[in-house]
């Protein structure tokens, strides 16, 4: 996540390794400078991971042990995620 870069002018997003702009630090679409948003800074990402391990993982373990945990693939299209959740909820 800390490799993400955003254009504050047009909202385009990039990743320094996976989706780099043609010219480093410059938006392909509008030519503005790319920035590292506060919520993508390494210390912010680390904090989010700490909170995940402290607060979310125990819930996953709790429901998983009781065989009532349902999972959806959150990497697919948003409407497919929504459909999957609705199917689980009935
Ligand atoms: Zn732009």
């Amino acid at each position: 996540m800390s490799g993400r870069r955003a254009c504050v002018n047009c909202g385009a997003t990039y990743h320094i390794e996976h989706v780099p702009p043609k010219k480093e630090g410059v938006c392909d679409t509008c030519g503005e400078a790319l920035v590292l948003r506060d919520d993508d800074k390494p210390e912010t990402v680390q904090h989010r991971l700490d909170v995940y391990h402290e607060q979310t993982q125990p819930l996953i373990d709790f429901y998983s042990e009781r065989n009532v945990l349902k999972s959806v693939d959150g990497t697919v299209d948003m409407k497919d995620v929504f459909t999957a959740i609705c199917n689980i909820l009935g």
Side-chain angles (χ1 to χ4, degrees), residues 6-12 14 26-34:
C7 174
V8 290
N9 184 50
C10 75
Y14 302 87
V26 178
C27 179
D28 291 346
T29 306
C30 72
E32 285 294 317
L34 301 177

Side-chain angles (χ1 to χ4, degrees), residues 1-3 5 36-49:
M1 283 185 274
S2 58
R5 296 293 181 273
L36 175 62
R37 298 184 308 191
D38 282 345
D39 61 350
D40 289 337
K41 286 183 176 168
E43 56 271 28
T44 309
V45 173
Q46 184 61 55
H47 177 69
R48 289 214 301 266
L49 285 172

